[in-house]
Amino acid sequence: WEPAAVYHHLEWLEIEAGRHGIPVHRVSAGNIREDALNFQVRGRQDGGRRWASMPYFTKTDGPGKGGQIRRQCTGEYKIQPIERFIRRELLGFQPGERAPIGSVEQWFGISADEVRRARMSQVSWKVHFYPLIGLPGPIIEKPFTRDRCMAWLAEHYPERHVPRSACLGCPYHSKNEWKNLKINDPRGWGDVVEFDRAIRTCAGMRDEMFLHSDRIPLDKVDLRSAEDFGQQNLWNTECEGMCGV
């Protein structure tokens, strides 16, 4: 459930990587938007599928009061499907078959700005490696920050705009990201507004659920930022894409 620009970029990437002999595999666990609406039954199977909860915001007694439910989408729509593909399709291991320790070195494109996202592997058959920052080692002398990555892309692919990858309806979007979606992708904005209305109630949950932390319908949220009211942004802050992978 990504923006259209992400899928267009992926199509280009498949062609460009193919020119250099690098295979690109598309791995999917289904459409998270469709699944979230079709299998909204907490804690049990429905038609063979389980509801992997997105981190919706919940409202209890009054406006602005509530919590946030667990995020299971990253594990079940990203991490687990990729691990299954590596084990079964690339390595040829069957379910339950033990893979030798360190069978795979899995690379992650995490920049120096996001070093806190670096994680050790939770399974013995693969080792995590972060080439942009040189972890687990040796540490490279000049790690790639996000700005350095963008400069490299501008030098080698000046005609390309690389869009940020994130679900259209991710509750972790900043106010600016919601606003940019509304302005630049009216179709995508209409999609998430409709989705936000549809998730208000869910079997097994007592509280109403929302995509935005204000805990009101998304199309009613005031998306104006402090800058819109004349406040300068002293820190030039923006989302760093820290989805928790």
Side-chain angles (χ1 to χ4, degrees), residues 171-187:
Y172 287 128
H173 282 335
S174 67
K175 186 171 288 189
N176 279 338
E177 286 177 302
W178 287 125
K179 183 171 65 174
N180 289 337
L181 178 64
K182 182 177 182 180
I183 294 173
N184 299 321
D185 186 0
R187 178 177 295 183

Side-chain angles (χ1 to χ4, degrees), residues 82-83 86 104-108 125-131:
I82 290 174
E83 288 188 348
I86 293 173
V104 170
E105 183 178 85
Q106 186 173 3
W107 289 23
F108 294 85
W125 58 269
K126 67 183 177 77
V127 177
H128 290 180
F129 182 58
Y130 301 89

Side-chain angles (χ1 to χ4, degrees), residues 187-240:
R187 178 177 295 183
W189 173 253
D191 192 20
V192 295
V193 167
E194 179 185 350
F195 180 81
D196 178 67
R197 293 195 190 105
I199 64 168
R200 201 68 71 232
T201 58
C202 176
M205 304 295 289
R206 295 189 302 271
D207 304 329
E208 291 186 318
M209 295 184 289
F210 300 84
L211 286 182
H212 197 274
S213 58
D214 284 356
R215 296 171 177 84
I216 60 177
L218 187 59
D219 57 345
K220 305 297 183 184
V221 175
D222 185 352
L223 297 177
R224 292 175 294 176
S225 63
E227 290 88 342
D228 294 326
F229 291 100
Q231 172 66 52
Q232 292 187 0
N233 188 338
L234 301 178
W235 313 113
N236 192 31
T237 54
E238 62 176 301
C239 178
E240 293 183 339

